[in-house]
């Protein structure tokens, strides 16, 4: 963690799990990484040739059809790990400052309930945000495009991201993006997002307000860049080369 220095991911695993991961990386016929960032991280564990193929989403499902965009949205679960990595509490604190400038805006956090849900609800009440911030328990995937089309700005201020699929889904649905500079997010969304210091509540709130005042980014390039069929062809060629069934 960039603040607490508490190990996350591979660094937090026990010896056996680390050994098995190194074993897989060493002997796998092919290892696919979803970003250059993930490739560099994997290379620290075991040096070999890695193939980078970016994630993609179905742009026939995730598409811009929204007209009434009333939410500033975040997707994050409320378990101990996700709650901290996704900086949910920082988002809630930032909501209070954004509300002062944009009093008509509503905020939405979508995620599976966990042991941090009550902590979040308590802070929302303390900040007098009960009428402004809504926590929606984990919803079916098929409903996500509908919610994203009700969203003006999508916020992902994670301490680490190997790709950021939900950011891509939001972008293709016409949402503006406010993201942290962590992990692969600058690599993937350099031309499509406003970046903030995810540990600075004032900066987060300023960038959300800036996003709300900005024009929607052109998504046509992203539709082509992350076209799911193009990725499928690449994967099929790769698997066929190694006779994977």
């Amino acid at each position: 963690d960039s603040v607490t220095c508490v190990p996350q991911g591979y660094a937090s695993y026990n010896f056996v799990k680390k050994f098995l991961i190194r074993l897989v990386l060493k002997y796998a016929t092919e290892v696919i990484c979803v970003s250059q960032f993930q490739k560099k991280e994997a290379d620290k564990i075991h040096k070999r040739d890695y193939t980078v193929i970016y994630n993609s989403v179905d742009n026939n499902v995730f598409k811009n059809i929204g007209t009434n965009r009333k939410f500033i949205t975040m997707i994050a679960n409320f378990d101990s790990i996700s709650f901290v990595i996704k900086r949910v509490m920082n988002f809630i604190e930032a909501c209070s400052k954004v509300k002062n400038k944009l009093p008509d805006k509503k905020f939405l956090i979508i995620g599976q309930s966990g042991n941090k849900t009550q902590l979040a609800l308590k802070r929302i009440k303390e900040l007098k945000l009960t009428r402004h911030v809504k926590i929606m328990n984990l919803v079916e995937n098929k409903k996500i495009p509908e919610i994203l089309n009700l969203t003006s700005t999508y916020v992902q201020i994670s301490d680490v991201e190997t790709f950021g699929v939900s950011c891509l889904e939001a972008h293709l649905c016409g949402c503006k993006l406010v993201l942290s500079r962590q992990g692969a997010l600058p690599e993937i969304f350099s031309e499509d997002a406003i970046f903030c210091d995810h540990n600075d509540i004032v900066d987060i709130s300023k960038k959300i307000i800036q996003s709300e005042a900005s024009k929607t980014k052109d998504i046509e390039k992203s539709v082509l860049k992350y076209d799911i069929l193009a990725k499928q062809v690449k994967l099929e060629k790769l698997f066929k080369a190694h006779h994977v069934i």
Side-chain angles (χ1 to χ4, degrees):
D1 188 283
S2 60
V3 173
T4 65
C5 296
V6 174
Q8 301 286 359
Y10 178 83
S12 66
Y13 298 155
N14 60 40
F15 171 78
V16 174
K17 194 169 184 177
K18 286 180 178 177
F19 173 76
L20 292 173
I21 290 172
R22 291 197 299 269
L23 203 64
V24 169
L25 293 180
K26 183 176 180 179
Y27 291 107
T29 306
E30 189 77 42
V31 179
I32 300 171
C33 298
V34 298
S35 63
Q36 293 294 335
F37 167 77
Q38 190 180 53
K39 178 181 177 180
K40 290 177 183 177
E41 292 300 300
D43 204 48
K44 294 175 185 177
I45 302 170
H46 178 75
K47 291 188 178 297
R48 61 165 292 164
D49 289 331
Y50 294 95
T51 300
V52 175
I53 300 179
Y54 287 143
N55 279 322
S56 58
V57 300
D58 190 341
N59 49 48
N60 290 314
V61 175
F62 292 91
K63 54 187 177 181
N64 182 6
I65 55 173
T67 54
N68 181 26
R69 297 184 179 273
K70 55 187 177 181
F71 293 114
I72 295 170
T73 301
M74 165 184 272
I75 296 177
N77 292 333
F78 287 80
D79 60 278
S80 298
I81 295 175
S82 179
F83 187 81
V84 174
I85 290 178
K86 301 290 185 181
R87 297 300 195 259
V88 176
M89 196 61 85
N90 286 5
F91 177 67
I92 292 171
E93 297 288 342
C95 289
S96 179
K97 296 183 179 298
V98 174
K99 180 184 71 71
N100 292 334
K101 293 287 186 179
L102 304 172
D104 295 329
K105 263 302 179 188
K106 302 296 182 183
F107 305 88
L108 181 63
I109 308 174
I110 305 169
Q112 188 169 6
S113 183
N115 58 356
K116 296 295 183 180
T117 302
Q118 291 306 312
L119 177 64
L121 289 172
K122 179 183 177 184
R123 188 57 182 151
I124 288 168
K125 186 176 181 180
E126 290 172 348
L127 292 169
K128 297 180 173 59
L129 293 173
T130 307
R131 292 191 299 110
H132 300 273
V133 179
K134 180 180 180 180
I135 294 178
M136 182 180 290
N137 202 5
L138 200 62
V139 299
E140 294 179 81
N141 286 338
K142 64 182 181 181
K143 293 183 179 179
I144 294 296
E146 178 185 345
I147 295 169
L148 291 176
N149 271 284
L150 294 172
T151 296
S152 53
T153 295
Y154 180 79
V155 180
Q156 186 101 328
I157 48 175
S158 310
D159 198 50
V160 67
E161 284 288 348
T162 55
F163 183 86
V165 172
S166 60
C167 303
L168 177 56
E169 293 171 345
H171 180 51
L172 293 181
C173 286
C175 305
K176 292 170 280 190
L177 303 177
V178 172
L179 311 177
S180 69
R181 299 184 182 92
Q182 300 298 102
L185 293 178
E187 171 192 343
I188 307 299
F189 301 101
S190 59
E191 299 176 358
D192 305 316
I194 295 173
F195 292 94
C196 67
D197 181 345
H198 64 302
N199 294 318
D200 185 335
I201 293 164
V202 172
D203 192 49
I204 296 167
S205 59
K206 283 182 178 178
K207 296 302 169 58
I208 293 174
I209 293 168
Q210 179 185 336
S211 172
E212 286 294 297
S214 68
K215 293 182 179 179
T216 303
K217 297 277 186 177
D218 180 19
I219 66 171
E220 291 306 315
K221 291 181 180 178
S222 295
V223 169
L224 294 173
K225 188 175 181 182
Y226 301 110
D227 180 64
I228 192 167
L229 294 178
K231 297 300 181 298
Q232 185 176 335
V233 170
K234 284 186 178 181
L235 288 169
E236 285 175 352
K237 286 182 177 179
L238 183 64
F239 292 158
K240 188 176 181 180
H242 296 294
H243 307 288
V244 177
I245 299 176

